[in-house]
Amino acid sequence: MMNLESLAGIRHGLQDCRRDGLTQFLNEFMKVLIAEGYTFEDLLDAITNWAAKTPELEDVVKHLEDAEQKMRLQGSQSKKT
């Protein structure tokens, strides 16, 4: 049987692989979304809407909404200059 330290190391390695895989997927997914005319703000809005359906994510939703609002504000200001 493996000791707890070895199991923790394996668990952390798997988490890193999952994050790396998800990052690669998101990179490719964003290319497709952009090619279809979507923006990062659109994706952020969709994630916010999805998270809003889960009461435990209420604090996260607030941060996502704030981030989305800041991005849209910065985008509109950069279009003026």
Side-chain angles (χ1 to χ4, degrees):
M1 184 166 218
M2 299 181 106
N3 65 32
L4 291 177
E5 190 174 310
S6 295
L7 290 173
I10 291 169
R11 186 171 291 117
H12 289 301
L14 289 172
Q15 288 171 345
D16 290 343
C17 287
R18 287 178 57 178
R19 263 188 298 256
D20 291 346
L22 188 55
T23 299
Q24 290 176 4
F25 169 79
L26 193 54
N27 284 334
E28 295 303 314
F29 185 64
M30 284 306 300
K31 290 177 187 176
V32 172
L33 286 179
I34 290 168
E36 293 296 321
Y38 292 95
T39 64
F40 180 74
E41 291 87 351
D42 295 327
L43 178 62
L44 189 55
D45 184 47
I47 291 170
T48 302
N49 290 335
W50 172 81
K53 296 176 185 175
T54 307
E56 301 86 41
L57 297 177
E58 185 177 334
D59 289 340
V60 173
V61 170
K62 177 66 176 139
H63 290 291
L64 290 170
E65 289 172 341
D66 291 346
E68 182 184 350
Q69 194 172 42
K70 281 183 182 179
M71 289 183 75
R72 291 196 190 277
L73 181 62
Q74 289 174 348
S76 66
Q77 288 177 347
S78 66
K79 289 179 183 176
K80 291 179 182 177
T81 57

